[in-house]
Amino acid sequence: MQISPDETIYWQSGFIVINATLVFTWVAMILLIGGSWLITRNLSTGRSITVRQSMLESIVSMIQRQIEEVMLSNARPFLAFIGSLFLFIATLNLLSIFPGYRSPTGSLSTTSALAVCVFVVVPIYGIRAQGVGQYLRQYLQPTFFMLPFNIFGELSRTLAMAVRLFGNIMSGEMIIAILLTLVPLFFPVVMQLFGLLIGMIQAYIFAVLAAVYIASAMSDAQLSNED
Amino acid sequence: MQIDWFTLFAQIVNFLIVVVLLRRFLYKPILQAMAEREAKIAAQFEEAEAKTREAEEEAERYRAQRAELDEEIDALMAEATAKAAERRKAMVAEAREEVESMQDRWYAAIEHEKQLFLHRIRQRLGQQVFHIAKSALKDLADAELEGEIVDVFIQQLDAQEIEASTAPAHSSEPDETPIIVRSAFELDAPTRQRIKQAIQSRVMHDRSDGNAPNTVEVAFEQTPDLICGIETQFENRRIAWNLNDYLTRFEEELSTALTTELHVEERAHLYEQEAAANGILPG
C-alpha cells in the first residue's frame, strides 16, 4: 500500500522524477490559475456582475478579512502569499472528491515545501518591517540564553506545520482506504465528506499559522504602521 | 514516508508560480474591480446627495417665492378693499349730496310754485270778489261798488277824528308835498272832489292849532295791487279800505293748509328715500 503519492512514478530520468504528486499539483494549478484568468478576464465594475465574479470577490474579501482579524493590520501586503497558501492547499485537498485523485498534500515533500516557503518568507517580512538588526535581536529576547530555544522553536514549528498537514490528509486517505476494504458501501462516503472538511480546515489552519508567524516576526509598532 | 527532494524543490517552485500567477490573475484584478466599484458607488452617493441638496435648496427657494407672492396678494387685496371702501364712501356721499341738492331744488320749485299760485289766486280772487260784489250791489241795491268803497273810505277819514285826538302828532312841520290817494279803479271827477274835500277837512281839523295850510294838494294814482281798494297816507297816518286784508287772511289760511299738506308729503318722501337708501346701501 502506497502511503504517499510520491511513490507513484510516471516518468523518471536521472534525479528528475515526475510522480503523482507533481502531476496532480499541476492539474490543481491549471484549474486554479486558469479559472481565475477566465473569470477575471472581463470583470465588471458596473451595477450588475456575474455570479462567478461575485464568488471570487467574496472569496478574496473573506481571505482579506481573515488576515486582518489575525494580523490586526492592513492585509494587502500579505494577501498574495497567505491567500495563495490557503487557496492552493484547499484546491489540492478539495480535488480529492474525484476518484483516482490523490491529494499532493498527502506527500510530506509537498507540505515540507510549503512549510519551507513559510520559513523563508517570515524573516523576509520581519526584516522588511523592522530591519535586520532589530529582527535578529528578537532571537535574543528575553535573554541571550534564549537564542538556541528561539532558533529551535522556529525550526520545530516549521516541521510541525509540514507534519500536521501531511499527517491529517494522509491519515484521512488511509482511513478511507482501510474502510473500503472493510465496509465498502456508504461509510467511506461519509469519511470522504469528513476528509473534505478536514482538508478545508487544514488549509485554513496552515494559512492562519503562516499569518500569525509573519505577524509575530513584525513588531507591534510596524504592524500598526501598516494601517 | 520519505521526503523526495526533487519533489520538494518542484513543489516550492510550483507554489511560487501559483503565488505570482494568482497575484497577477486573481487578487490584482479583483481588488481593482472592487475598488473601482466602490469608488463608483461612492461617487453615485455623492452625486445623489448633491442632487438632494440641490432639490432641497430649490424647494426652499420655491417656498420662499410662494410666501412672497402670498404676501403680495394679501397686500394687494387689502389695498383694493381699502380703495373700494373709500370709493363707496365717496359715491354714497356724492349720491347723498345730489339727492339733497335735488331735494333743495325741488323744495325751492315747490315754494316758487306755491308763491306764484297764491299770488294768482289772490289776484283772481280779488277780481272775482270785486266783480261779484259789484254785480250783487248793482242787482240788489242799484248801487255802484266803487261809490260805496269811496263812501266807506270817506267815512273812515271822518272816523279818524276820534283816534286823532288821542294819537300823538308825529310831525309838527307843515308838509308841502301832495297827499297821494291810491286806488285800484279809476275815480271820476266828482268823487275826486269829495275825497279832496274830506281830506282837506281832515287836515284842517288835525291842524287846528293854527299852522294849518289853506289848501291841501291831493294827487290820485291808480294801482291794481290794491285790489278793489283805496288808500291814502298823511300825517303818519294810513287810511285805507280794500280787500287786501281779507285776502291776506285768506292767503295765510290757504298757505297753512298747503304747508300742512306739504309736511305730510315731505315725511312720506323722506321715508321712501330712507328705505331706498337702506335697500341700495346696506349698513
Side-chain angles (χ1 to χ4, degrees):
Chain A
M1 185 177 181
Q2 295 176 341
I3 291 173
S4 166
D6 287 1
E7 291 164 28
T8 309
I9 294 167
Y10 296 119
W11 186 79
Q12 190 169 14
S13 170
F15 71 101
I16 300 170
V17 180
I18 305 300
N19 51 29
T21 305
L22 287 178
V23 171
F24 290 135
T25 300
W26 290 335
V27 171
M29 279 170 70
I30 288 165
L31 284 174
L32 193 62
I33 293 160
S36 297
W37 173 72
L38 274 177
I39 293 168
T40 57
R41 209 168 30 160
N42 38 22
L43 287 174
S44 159
T45 56
R47 199 166 291 181
S48 60
I49 54 171
T50 60
V51 178
R52 288 170 190 156
Q53 185 184 340
S54 174
M55 191 183 71
L56 275 198
E57 282 183 7
S58 310
I59 291 168
V60 170
S61 53
M62 188 196 72
I63 293 167
Q64 207 169 4
R65 204 163 49 245
Q66 288 294 328
I67 294 168
E68 277 166 8
E69 275 177 22
V70 171
M71 302 185 74
L72 299 173
S73 78
N74 184 16
R76 202 63 197 272
F78 319 104
L79 183 65
F81 180 71
I82 296 169
S84 297
L85 261 184
F86 172 75
L87 287 177
F88 187 52
I89 296 168
T91 308
L92 291 179
N93 289 343
L94 284 180
L95 285 176
S96 63
I97 195 145
F98 295 107
Y101 173 87
R102 293 199 64 196
S103 176
T105 47
S107 140
L108 194 59
S109 309
T110 305
T111 58
S112 300
L114 295 174
V116 165
C117 286
V118 174
F119 179 77
V120 173
V121 162
V122 166
I124 290 175
Y125 276 116
I127 288 165
R128 199 200 279 172
Q130 49 187 341
V132 182
Q134 188 67 32
Y135 175 74
L136 290 178
R137 214 166 289 144
Q138 272 188 339
Y139 288 96
L140 304 176
Q141 298 300 326
T143 63
F144 172 76
F145 300 106
M146 290 300 286
L147 177 63
F149 297 100
N150 282 332
I151 292 169
F152 190 73
E154 200 86 354
L155 290 169
S156 69
R157 77 185 184 193
T158 304
L159 181 67
M161 277 178 93
V163 174
R164 186 188 299 110
L165 179 60
F166 161 72
N168 273 287
I169 302 304
M170 185 271 288
S171 64
E173 282 182 355
M174 291 308 282
I175 288 168
I176 292 163
I178 293 164
L179 279 173
L180 272 174
T181 58
L182 297 176
V183 193
L185 294 174
F186 304 119
F187 205 63
V189 176
V190 178
M191 288 313 293
Q192 187 103 23
L193 285 173
F194 268 123
L196 287 177
L197 182 67
I198 287 165
M200 284 304 291
I201 289 169
Q202 288 306 318
Y204 177 75
I205 286 171
F206 202 98
V208 165
L209 280 176
V212 169
Y213 296 154
I214 291 169
S216 71
M218 300 162 75
S219 74
D220 289 346
Q222 285 295 326
L223 278 173
S224 52
N225 280 349
E226 294 282 344
D227 282 327
Chain B
M1 202 182 91
Q2 289 179 356
I3 292 176
D4 184 72
W5 295 106
F6 174 76
T7 307
L8 186 143
F9 176 74
Q11 287 296 61
I12 288 171
V13 172
N14 283 341
F15 178 68
L16 290 178
I17 289 168
V18 165
V19 170
V20 171
L21 289 184
L22 279 186
R23 187 197 185 97
R24 166 73 183 78
F25 290 117
L26 181 66
Y27 305 118
K28 223 173 176 178
I30 285 284
L31 287 175
Q32 201 172 331
M34 281 163 75
E36 271 176 29
R37 192 162 56 248
E38 268 173 28
K40 261 189 193 174
I41 289 167
Q44 277 171 357
F45 267 115
E46 215 161 282
E47 200 183 334
E49 267 172 26
K51 275 184 179 165
T52 307
R53 264 202 305 279
E54 204 177 310
E56 271 170 13
E57 275 167 21
E58 193 88 348
E60 193 57 43
R61 203 158 50 240
Y62 276 123
R63 269 198 286 277
Q65 267 180 3
R66 210 178 58 188
E68 209 172 293
L69 277 176
D70 282 347
E71 263 173 35
E72 220 165 283
I73 286 167
D74 284 349
L76 280 174
M77 280 299 286
E79 198 182 327
T81 309
K83 268 188 183 166
E86 207 173 299
R87 178 88 184 119
R88 198 184 89 152
K89 211 183 270 181
M91 280 171 84
V92 166
E94 208 174 304
R96 279 225 174 101
E97 220 165 272
E98 205 171 315
V99 165
E100 271 167 21
S101 80
M102 272 171 76
Q103 208 174 1
D104 287 349
R105 277 205 301 279
W106 183 69
Y107 277 135
I110 289 281
E111 189 60 31
H112 182 68
E113 286 284 316
K114 194 177 100 183
Q115 292 300 333
L116 209 61
F117 174 69
L118 285 174
H119 186 69
R120 275 189 202 140
I121 284 281
R122 189 190 170 103
Q123 292 282 352
R124 291 287 293 276
L125 201 63
Q127 284 167 8
Q128 287 301 318
V129 166
F130 181 68
H131 286 301
I132 288 164
K134 199 172 176 178
S135 309
L137 275 174
K138 194 152 196 169
D139 292 347
L140 295 172
D142 196 16
E144 286 290 335
L145 181 59
E146 287 93 338
E148 291 301 320
I149 290 168
V150 170
D151 285 352
V152 170
F153 179 63
I154 289 167
Q155 273 171 24
Q156 275 192 4
L157 273 173
D158 293 341
Q160 291 291 326
E161 198 175 348
I162 307 150
E163 284 176 37
S165 59
T166 54
H170 291 289
S171 169
S172 54
E173 293 297 309
D175 202 346
E176 296 303 322
T177 54
I179 293 164
I180 298 166
V181 175
R182 292 189 188 87
S183 65
F185 42 83
E186 184 67 42
L187 295 168
D188 52 8
T191 311
R192 285 190 182 185
Q193 195 56 44
R194 276 176 65 203
I195 291 168
K196 200 173 175 182
Q197 278 173 2
I199 289 171
Q200 189 143 19
S201 65
R202 176 76 246 167
V203 171
M204 297 295 276
H205 183 268
D206 284 353
R207 308 267 175 88
S208 52
D209 48 0
N211 57 0
N214 295 331
T215 56
V216 177
E217 289 282 323
V218 177
F220 293 95
E221 278 181 14
Q222 195 179 349
T223 43
D225 286 348
L226 282 174
I227 310 174
C228 192
I230 185 165
E231 69 163 23
T232 187
Q233 196 168 0
F234 62 91
E235 303 278 325
N236 294 327
R237 279 201 195 94
R238 184 173 163 271
I239 298 147
W241 187 93
N242 56 28
L243 283 177
N244 213 17
D245 293 338
Y246 304 105
L247 288 172
T248 304
R249 212 175 303 142
F250 172 74
E251 196 182 357
E252 273 169 12
E253 275 177 25
L254 189 63
S255 180
T256 310
L258 275 174
T259 310
T260 314
E261 191 73 15
L262 266 174
H263 277 159
V264 171
E265 267 183 34
E266 192 183 356
R267 269 203 297 280
H269 177 67
L270 279 173
Y271 176 75
E272 272 174 26
Q273 201 178 6
E274 202 175 322
N278 283 340
I280 297 162
L281 311 160

